[in-house]
Amino acid sequence: MSVRPTQSGTFTSVKQGLAMNLSRLIRAQEQVSSGRRILRASDDPAGASIALSLRRQQSQVEGWTQAVNDGRPLLEAGASRLEEASNLLSEARALTLQGLNGTLNQSDRNTIADQIEAIAESLASTANTQHGDRFLFSGTATDTKPFEFVGQGSERHVQYQGDSGSLQALVGRESRVELGVPGNEVFGRTSYRDTAYSNITGIQSGTQSDWGQGYETLQLRTDSVNGAMGQGVTLAGSSRDSILGPHELTIDATAGTIQLGTGAAVEIPSPLPTEMELVDEDGSVLVVDMSAWSGSDFTTTVTGSGSISLDGTVWTSFTGAETNLQLTDEDSGAVIHVDTTAVTRAGKESVVFQGANNTIDTLLALANDFRNEQGLSIDQVNSQVNLHLGELADGHDHLLQGLGQLGARHARLNQSENQLGELSLQLESLRSGIEDADLSEVVLDMTRAEQTLQVAQATGARLLQHTLLNYLG
Amino acid sequence: MADIALGIGLQGLLSAQSALDTLGHNLANANTPGYSRQRLSLQAQRPLSMGGTMVGRGVRTDGIRRISDNVLNRRIVSQTSIAAKLDAGVLALSGVESMLGGIGGVGIGAMLDGFFESVSSLAGDAGDLVRRNGVVQSAESLTNQFHQIADSSEGLKGDTLEQVRALSKQVNSLAVQVRDMNKEIASSEAGGGSANDLRDQRDVALQSLANLVDVRYQESATGSVTLSIGGHLLAGENLVQELRAELNDDGELEMYVGDTTRPVEVRGGQIGGLVDFMQNTVPELEARMDTLARNLIFEVNRAHSTGIPSAGGFQTLTSTNSLEDIDGDGQYLDQRIGDSGLPFDIQDGTLAINVTNASTGEVRTHQIEIEDSMSVQDLLDRINAIDNVAATIDGSGRLQMTGQNGNLFDFSNRLDGMPDEIGSFGGMRASVSSLGEEPFVLADGMTFDFDGIAGPFTITLDASDFDNISQATASEVAGVLSQNPMLATNGMRAAAVDGHLVLQSSSGGPTQGFDVTGGSALAAMGIPTGTYSGSTISTSVSISGAYSGAANQELTMRPLGDGQIGSTQGLQIEVRNQMNEVVAVLDVGSDYVPGTPLDLGDGLQASFTVGELSATDQDFLVVHALADSDTSDMLAAFGMNAFFSGSDAKSIGVSQRIVDDPSLMSASKTGGAGDNGALLQILKLQSGHVEGLNSGFSQYFGDVVGDVGFDIETKQRAADTERYLVDSLQQRRDEVSGVSVDEELVDMIRFEQAYTASARFIQVVQQITDTTLQLI
């Protein structure tokens, strides 16, 4: 059938054409004014789905970036505190070396002890630094003060109250950075090596392994002294007696002196004393009654026997023949095995579980060494100080390792930040590519729609004017 | 002759007149919708036979015909239904699209991102109260958004129902019009004519009907049409039945015609589009939003419930979800927990409960087995078997747990740093453990023969003391032994540890000891006879590190010989996993420095202090390494320490106790106030795969939005195509039935000329007659 155009058909098609072109123009205008290609999901469902996912990723990247920014001040504060602590330890080391100088007198050493104790306190307060309201060195227990002083005098030490975890920042899907080092790791060490004694009484390690942490004090006491006496010389049985094991007692009548072991020969005074205190080369004491001395030479061996205790409560008597005597401290759980064969005197022996010490405690122990409340000889003091100095060096090493870890983590944060910055840019450009309008293209579309509309309007207007009526007279 | 000629002329005049009338009617109706142009049919009169010659008698009119194509009209009607359905669908879906929110800015997608962003921010400083408030606020915005969508979709359903009802009224009134016109057409055409204009109007009514509903029509011989929808008669010659929209018991929309009880399937027209929207799109959308909300609640709660608030464990905790009295007997305790109306499923699994002594800080970790089939009473019994924790079900069916005697509890997967509670591994007490693990195959009358400090004695087992003596548990055996006074008299005790029976002297030290001399139960339990004695020092085992395994693991340590840690040459400890595979052999002999951590694998280390281990005494220790401290999902199902309350898009909310006190938000997994382990677990959900959704949260919502978009796009495209088809059919109809003014004008000139010619002819005839008369 041939086409039979009608007026109403023409009107309808002109109207439809105009409407279609106009809506195309409006759509283009919408894109230009919003700058976005996808305004509703139905504009491009596949694109919209991708855009939503990209937005989610952007939000995640934003979260990770914030974690980096939140974490950095913590690491920086931690590092600067550790640098301070490192300086304190250097200072303590210098003071200690100064204290080892034999020309110092006790009052000089007391001054050094006070200074070292002050450093210990500064170190504790550095370790207890807060950033905001969070303690930097208490692991994840950020509301708990990590180090607290307990005990008095020579028993004074710190207790770690934090945990051994670390705050963590999520800086990528599977990437976590620890935001600190726990205080028990940087200020204390937990890897026990072996046991050392301060070498005062002659006690030695036994054959079996020990276990303990920090410092313990091993006490040896003299319970009784026996020996074959003669020439009117008797043992006074004084509580000051501190010899353990066999000691040689020599009276040289010609020189008028009496000597314990290889200690200083003491002139026997006149009148003859009932209590005469003899000190041997190790500082162990024997009191003899000289009142009935015959005036002749006399040589004998006196033997002190006593008991030993690690916790100060349970005393175990020993003969001096044990090579592997087991001692325990119920409170701390420490177990040591000692060899008593070389014991020569009673006294307090520092037991150092090497490698398992808190640096603040080490400083306190050094201060105690210098105070020398036991009245030890310089050599003995220095031997204790050297023992603790070694621990101090270990502690310092550990602190520097912690500093290194913080530095490495800081570097990781920086690296993450760079990566996240790049990722963020990539995501933004991807999202923009999908979601945002390409202005030049849209404007071109718009111009095209506009032109088509104008043409449609012009032709429509021409078409509609044509009717036979125009020519009927 | 003249009368014939005059007749011819008159008929010519009259027919031209009629033609001009019809033409005028056409021009007047050129813009009337549905109007079909009409044509006057002209025919030559039957000729007169005059002596064998046929003489023409002029023209005659044969009625006014309506130019229309019934097949085309029928196609327009059915096509209109299809296009209208799609148009209505697109319109309704656009409502959904704007309800879900745009691509950026608002909407669940952005709110989800906002929630995770606030959690991420809190993870940066887990103790910060401002950030905690931020999480609560963003979570509330998210839940509000869920509510808004749930409300909008309710509103959408209400609006759509109203719309369908209004459209049904239109259908009914059109049906009445059609019936009325049926009558008129039938009566006017009974005489044989054609009711042209009435038919046009009826066609318009039919098309309007088709726009509303997929109506089918059938024309009868009398010219009336019967209307039907989905096989149900809507209107006939005399009868009209009403189309109704009803909600069924499930709140679903159903359409009915007349009094039928069987719903009619409406497949087209605007009503068809809206019904499809109501029956499919909205419920599917609601189901998907519910699934999203449900999984969000469940997964976030799973992470949160096993976390610890900044202030430490819980003194008391009440579940947000409550049990229902399913069997209606007024009590909850006899019901299976998996079938007690909890909104989430409980799996067979393990729940860790850690009990912390608030004053000493000492933590005891416990694991209880939970089965979906166990009764509520069983669950309470298992919790109550743990020291210092009590559990009850309150009057409204909620689970309540309380820490007692100054103890706090939590459900985190923290490591038990000191796993050897009773000293079954190198303790100071004389000790022997069963090599076998429960269940033990025992029998009535089996015996244990011991020789303790008070002399030899025998304990005989009685089946009545066991649930099932051939499947005896370690704690049943320990209970039976402990109840016998001879045990205490002889300075002994019995305990169950991780499914093993442990016999010990009641105090430690080398002077303590007992003999196991025999008895028929020994073989079944794997306890050797022998003399067991205590020691002076106790091995203390500490476990450190962070477990990195993916699944929960039980590591069992057993010494491979007898000796002292750090001293005995070649002393080793074997570590086996749950599958009984050896995962590590630890050297703790003379080369071991006590206290040094040794690697157990998966990020865990164990260190041992000096002490005596004994393979002869069957020393053992089980270390529980937890990746997930609640594999039973019991906490999330009950809503214990929940972050979100509710179970779907309508009911989702932030747990009231957390809104009231954001410091109860459980960020920590270690108990440390600054730890953010639980938050990191929540953050994993942002992009991680959620089993219940088979994708991630944001991804799932993106899919919902994308699918609505796709739906709109495809429906819009189809609607455009169908609309184009309707338009081109209309165009065709216009071409056939439409009035062309030019055509009419040409005809007007033609008929005007015909009229003039006829008049002229009459004049000529008259002149001829006059001439003839003058001749007379």
Side-chain angles (χ1 to χ4, degrees):
Chain A
M1 193 195 285
S2 67
V3 176
R4 180 177 163 278
T6 63
Q7 257 71 19
S8 73
T10 315
F11 276 109
T12 312
S13 82
V14 168
K15 269 196 306 196
Q16 279 173 352
L18 289 181
M20 192 179 73
N21 282 308
L22 189 61
S23 77
R24 212 176 275 166
L25 186 63
I26 289 171
R27 168 99 185 93
Q29 204 278 333
E30 207 177 41
Q31 290 187 1
V32 171
S33 68
S34 68
R36 308 232 320 253
R37 193 174 68 84
I38 306 176
L39 292 164
R40 290 164 290 266
S42 53
D43 291 340
D44 176 1
S49 196
I50 297 170
L52 272 174
S53 146
L54 287 171
R55 274 175 182 270
R56 184 190 73 236
Q57 292 177 44
Q58 280 185 308
S59 138
Q60 269 183 320
V61 168
E62 223 164 277
W64 295 332
T65 311
Q66 200 197 343
V68 168
N69 291 334
D70 278 345
R72 191 182 328 217
L74 277 180
L75 282 177
E76 282 167 359
S80 81
R81 289 298 90 79
L82 288 189
E83 273 164 27
E84 272 174 39
S86 168
N87 291 340
L88 285 173
L89 291 188
S90 304
E91 203 180 320
R93 182 175 163 78
L95 277 169
T96 307
L97 292 174
Q98 194 184 332
L100 282 171
N101 190 334
T103 61
L104 295 182
N105 62 23
Q106 187 54 42
S107 112
D108 294 336
R109 282 200 289 267
N110 281 345
T111 313
I112 287 178
D114 290 345
Q115 283 173 309
I116 291 181
E117 185 155 1
I119 289 176
E121 273 158 17
S122 304
L123 187 63
S125 86
T126 303
N128 287 340
T129 310
Q130 273 179 299
H131 181 78
D133 53 0
R134 289 186 280 180
F135 286 100
L136 281 173
F137 298 107
S138 58
T140 67
T142 49
D143 58 347
T144 310
K145 195 174 174 183
F147 292 99
E148 198 86 67
F149 283 100
V150 290
Q152 289 299 322
S154 63
E155 295 294 304
R156 193 170 182 226
H157 65 281
V158 287
Q159 261 176 9
Y160 180 64
Q161 306 185 327
D163 59 28
S164 28
S166 266
L167 296 188
Q168 294 191 331
L170 190 68
V171 297
R173 183 158 301 161
E174 293 294 335
S175 164
R176 296 181 184 194
V177 175
E178 295 190 340
L179 296 178
V181 277
N184 61 349
E185 222 174 88
V186 274
F187 295 106
R189 292 183 66 159
T190 49
S191 59
Y192 164 74
R193 289 202 307 272
D194 55 45
T195 317
Y197 298 95
S198 51
N199 260 334
I200 291 165
T201 61
I203 201 100
Q204 291 168 330
S205 281
T207 52
Q208 291 193 322
S209 276
D210 305 335
W211 185 82
Q213 276 182 308
Y215 300 100
E216 297 262 350
T217 307
L218 183 65
Q219 300 182 58
L220 288 89
R221 68 177 186 209
T222 305
D223 295 332
S224 61
V225 181
N226 294 301
M229 304 307 284
Q231 300 297 337
V233 178
T234 55
L235 296 166
S238 165
S239 60
R240 279 178 285 156
D241 287 350
S242 67
I243 60 161
L244 285 170
H247 286 69
E248 196 91 334
L249 184 67
T250 317
I251 298 178
D252 182 345
T254 327
T257 58
I258 182 165
Q259 187 184 20
L260 181 64
T262 56
V266 189
E267 195 172 324
I268 301 168
S270 178
L272 296 171
T274 52
E275 285 197 358
M276 182 165 185
E277 188 177 286
L278 307 172
V279 182
D280 80 347
E281 69 280 9
D282 297 322
S284 60
V285 173
L286 178 70
V287 182
V288 289
D289 183 349
M290 295 293 292
S291 54
W293 179 41
S294 63
S296 315
D297 284 355
F298 175 62
T299 303
T300 186
T301 299
V302 288
T303 306
S305 60
S307 31
I308 187 166
S309 172
L310 186 61
D311 56 6
T313 6
V314 180
W315 290 85
T316 312
S317 57
F318 67 97
T319 62
E322 295 88 350
T323 53
N324 191 45
L325 180 64
Q326 178 176 299
L327 298 168
T328 58
D329 179 347
E330 290 258 358
D331 292 340
S332 66
V335 177
I336 58 172
H337 295 92
V338 293
D339 180 341
T340 61
T341 52
V343 169
T344 60
R345 60 161 289 185
K348 288 182 178 172
E349 186 86 40
S350 288
V351 183
V352 178
F353 296 105
Q354 293 187 95
N357 290 305
N358 186 299
T359 311
I360 301 168
D361 284 353
T362 304
L363 291 174
L364 291 175
L366 276 169
N368 279 335
D369 293 344
F370 284 122
R371 288 207 177 93
N372 192 16
E373 279 163 2
Q374 273 195 83
L376 304 171
S377 70
I378 291 298
D379 284 349
Q380 285 173 332
V381 167
N382 285 355
S383 127
Q384 278 198 328
V385 167
N386 276 321
L387 193 58
H388 291 136
L389 196 59
E391 286 297 294
L392 189 66
D394 276 355
H396 202 162
D397 281 352
H398 217 74
L399 196 107
L400 293 176
Q401 279 172 23
L403 198 55
Q405 277 177 334
L406 289 186
R409 286 168 195 173
H410 196 256
R412 265 195 70 198
L413 278 193
N414 285 342
Q415 193 191 350
S416 298
E417 190 183 34
N418 290 339
Q419 286 171 349
L420 289 173
E422 270 174 40
L423 190 58
S424 174
L425 276 180
Q426 277 175 13
L427 286 172
E428 179 57 25
S429 87
L430 277 174
R431 188 201 59 77
S432 166
I434 286 171
E435 213 178 282
D436 290 353
D438 178 346
L439 278 187
S440 58
E441 197 176 302
V442 176
V443 168
L444 205 67
D445 275 355
M446 197 168 156
T447 318
R448 204 177 293 143
E450 204 175 12
Q451 281 175 356
T452 321
L453 179 63
Q454 281 169 353
V455 170
Q457 281 168 337
T459 52
R462 293 271 294 275
L463 180 65
L464 294 181
Q465 282 168 11
H466 289 286
T467 161
L468 200 57
L469 277 171
N470 295 343
Y471 305 100
L472 293 178
Chain B
M1 277 301 279
D3 52 333
I4 294 173
L6 272 179
I8 290 172
L10 181 63
Q11 275 158 358
L13 272 183
L14 288 176
S15 64
Q17 178 80 54
S18 288
L20 282 170
D21 284 350
T22 311
L23 200 145
H25 184 62
N26 279 345
L27 280 174
N29 281 301
N31 290 317
T32 306
Y35 180 77
S36 305
R37 69 191 161 106
Q38 298 175 6
R39 275 283 168 271
L40 184 70
S41 295
L42 293 175
Q43 262 184 341
Q45 280 279 22
R46 285 205 317 149
L48 205 63
S49 171
M50 295 179 81
T53 313
M54 302 299 257
V55 179
R57 293 204 310 158
V59 70
R60 88 181 154 92
T61 55
D62 189 28
I64 299 171
R65 265 196 312 120
R66 167 171 166 265
I67 312 289
S68 82
D69 182 342
N70 279 331
V71 177
L72 195 60
N73 284 349
R74 204 171 269 281
R75 281 192 63 195
I76 289 175
V77 165
S78 61
Q79 197 57 48
T80 302
S81 281
I82 297 171
K85 176 185 179 180
L86 290 165
D87 277 347
V90 169
L91 212 61
L93 274 170
S94 306
V96 171
E97 189 180 32
S98 57
M99 180 179 94
L100 290 177
I103 305 299
V106 291
I108 294 260
M111 298 288 177
L112 266 172
D113 289 345
F115 170 66
F116 284 116
E117 243 169 75
S118 69
V119 172
S120 165
S121 158
L122 179 59
D125 185 354
D128 190 68
L129 207 58
V130 177
R131 297 193 189 196
R132 280 176 177 257
N133 279 319
V135 173
V136 169
Q137 271 160 21
S138 69
E140 279 186 325
S141 308
L142 176 61
T143 57
N144 285 340
Q145 190 67 27
F146 270 112
H147 298 163
Q148 212 174 320
I149 289 191
D151 290 349
S152 308
S153 99
E154 276 304 308
L156 214 54
K157 281 203 286 193
D159 291 351
T160 311
L161 180 63
E162 282 311 303
Q163 213 178 336
V164 169
R165 290 204 162 129
L167 294 176
S168 300
K169 266 190 196 155
Q170 287 184 31
V171 168
N172 294 331
S173 96
L174 283 168
V176 171
Q177 281 181 34
V178 169
R179 181 202 56 187
D180 290 352
M181 281 187 287
N182 272 345
K183 283 184 191 162
E184 283 187 61
I185 290 168
S187 63
S188 26
E189 290 184 352
S194 168
N196 290 338
D197 294 322
L198 283 171
R199 278 181 176 269
D200 277 350
Q201 281 173 31
R202 190 174 69 187
D203 282 353
V204 169
L206 284 175
Q207 208 183 326
S208 300
L209 264 176
N211 193 44
L212 296 171
V213 71
D214 56 332
V215 70
R216 296 268 171 278
Y217 66 93
Q218 204 70 47
E219 189 166 341
S220 71
T222 59
S224 50
V225 294
T226 52
L227 305 179
S228 61
I229 302 172
H232 288 73
L233 186 69
L234 183 70
E237 208 162 333
N238 296 307
L239 154 115
V240 165
Q241 301 209 81
E242 275 204 345
L243 178 70
R244 290 176 289 122
E246 305 275 353
L247 289 183
N248 68 10
D249 295 341
D250 297 332
E252 290 161 354
L253 177 68
E254 302 278 23
M255 302 298 296
Y256 296 92
V257 174
D259 299 327
T260 52
T261 49
R262 200 162 54 85
V264 46
E265 209 175 325
V266 179
R267 289 205 182 115
Q270 287 184 42
I271 294 181
L274 294 176
V275 166
D276 176 53
F277 178 69
M278 283 278 278
Q279 286 179 343
N280 300 316
T281 313
V282 175
E284 193 196 316
L285 180 78
E286 284 181 340
R288 290 175 78 172
M289 293 315 292
D290 281 345
T291 307
L292 181 63
R294 194 181 157 76
N295 279 283
L296 182 71
I297 296 168
F298 183 67
E299 295 294 338
V300 170
N301 282 355
R302 259 175 59 86
H304 186 265
S305 61
T306 53
I308 307 170
S310 43
F314 308 101
Q315 164 62 44
T316 177
L317 201 56
T318 306
S319 66
T320 52
N321 301 326
S322 35
L323 298 171
E324 282 167 26
D325 184 11
I326 296 285
D327 50 7
D329 62 356
Q331 53 176 352
Y332 305 110
L333 299 182
D334 57 339
Q335 296 177 163
R336 280 165 28 119
I337 51 169
D339 187 22
S340 288
L342 291 174
F344 301 102
D345 290 342
I346 289 180
Q347 320 289 330
D348 291 354
T350 316
L351 169 69
I353 301 179
N354 309 309
V355 183
T356 311
N357 184 317
S359 51
T360 64
E362 194 185 349
V363 183
R364 289 249 178 269
T365 66
H366 306 270
Q367 266 92 36
I368 58 173
E369 296 297 323
I370 288 178
E371 295 105 35
D372 155 69
S373 58
M374 77 201 289
S375 72
V376 178
Q377 182 68 57
D378 285 346
L379 174 69
L380 296 186
D381 287 348
R382 287 191 196 176
I383 300 174
N384 285 327
I386 298 171
D387 288 344
N388 300 322
V389 179
T392 53
I393 300 288
D394 72 6
S396 51
R398 292 180 304 178
L399 175 64
Q400 199 165 44
M401 280 177 69
T402 318
Q404 295 180 321
N405 308 322
N407 282 276
L408 304 174
F409 62 93
D410 66 69
F411 310 102
S412 78
N413 59 354
R414 60 166 115 188
L415 263 184
D416 188 355
M418 295 290 200
D420 190 13
E421 263 178 57
I422 76 158
S424 59
F425 193 75
M428 285 168 77
R429 293 186 166 99
S431 160
V432 62
S433 310
S434 71
L435 190 63
E437 224 175 305
E438 66 188 16
F440 300 108
V441 186
L442 301 176
D444 192 38
M446 277 189 166
T447 55
F448 288 96
D449 298 335
F450 299 117
D451 189 355
I453 48 176
F457 65 101
T458 297
I459 295 177
T460 309
L461 299 181
D462 185 336
S464 65
D465 292 330
F466 295 84
D467 277 350
N468 176 5
I469 195 164
S470 61
Q471 294 282 305
T473 65
S475 52
E476 280 176 325
V477 181
V480 167
L481 293 178
S482 301
Q483 266 164 21
N484 195 307
M486 286 304 286
L487 210 65
T489 309
N490 280 280
M492 289 174 66
R493 62 173 201 172
V497 180
D498 291 302
H500 296 266
L501 178 72
V502 179
L503 295 165
Q504 289 185 319
S505 58
S506 41
S507 50
T511 55
Q512 301 292 324
F514 60 87
D515 290 352
V516 177
T517 50
S520 47
L522 294 189
M525 312 241 1
I527 299 177
T529 56
T531 302
Y532 302 101
S533 53
S535 60
T536 47
I537 43 175
S538 161
T539 306
S540 153
V541 185
S542 37
I543 306 295
S544 54
Y547 179 57
S548 60
N552 291 354
Q553 184 63 271
E554 271 181 21
L555 299 173
T556 306
M557 297 190 205
R558 288 181 180 281
L560 291 176
D562 293 11
Q564 186 161 343
I565 291 174
S567 303
T568 306
Q569 203 159 15
L571 185 63
Q572 286 184 320
I573 296 172
E574 186 183 69
V575 185
R576 286 176 184 266
N577 64 12
Q578 244 156 316
M579 336 285 278
N580 207 27
E581 296 159 349
V582 177
V583 292
V585 175
L586 311 176
D587 286 314
V588 293
S590 48
D591 292 336
Y592 177 68
V593 177
T596 310
L598 298 174
D599 223 349
L600 295 178
D602 285 333
L604 294 181
Q605 288 109 35
S607 63
F608 306 87
T609 65
V610 172
E612 283 173 13
L613 297 180
S614 168
T616 319
D617 295 357
Q618 301 186 355
D619 280 2
F620 80 102
L621 177 64
V622 178
V623 175
H624 296 272
L626 300 180
D628 178 0
S629 52
D630 179 18
T631 54
S632 68
D633 299 340
M634 173 278 207
L635 296 173
F638 270 98
M640 293 295 276
N641 189 24
F643 182 80
F644 283 120
S645 57
S647 60
D648 57 22
K650 271 193 208 71
S651 61
I652 186 173
V654 181
S655 176
Q656 192 57 44
R657 46 189 281 278
I658 287 173
V659 175
D660 293 344
D661 182 3
S663 74
L664 288 178
M665 200 183 299
S666 304
S668 170
K669 283 273 182 187
T670 62
D675 185 55
N676 56 13
L679 298 177
L680 296 185
Q681 198 182 335
I682 292 175
L683 283 180
K684 270 197 159 179
L685 299 171
Q686 185 176 15
S687 54
H689 183 90
V690 177
E691 209 173 303
L693 298 176
N694 204 19
S695 78
F697 289 116
S698 302
Q699 185 62 47
Y700 187 84
F701 180 73
D703 287 350
V704 173
V705 172
D707 284 354
V708 169
F710 267 119
D711 213 3
I712 292 181
E713 197 198 28
T714 46
K715 277 211 169 78
Q716 182 69 62
R717 254 191 216 146
D720 287 349
T721 313
E722 299 299 339
R723 198 41 80 188
Y724 175 76
L725 247 154
V726 172
D727 286 344
S728 61
L729 286 171
Q730 287 281 13
Q731 198 88 26
R732 293 275 299 140
R733 187 190 172 280
D734 261 344
E735 283 171 11
V736 175
S737 307
V739 178
S740 166
V741 176
D742 284 350
E743 190 181 86
E744 301 299 327
L745 286 175
V746 170
D747 280 354
M748 193 159 81
I749 293 165
R750 187 152 61 119
F751 286 110
E752 196 184 348
Q753 285 173 353
Y755 188 87
T756 316
S758 291
R760 186 89 185 141
F761 175 69
I762 291 172
Q763 198 182 7
V764 167
V765 171
Q766 190 196 355
Q767 279 173 0
I768 292 170
T769 314
D770 281 353
T771 310
T772 312
L773 283 177
Q774 280 167 7
L775 288 176
I776 297 166

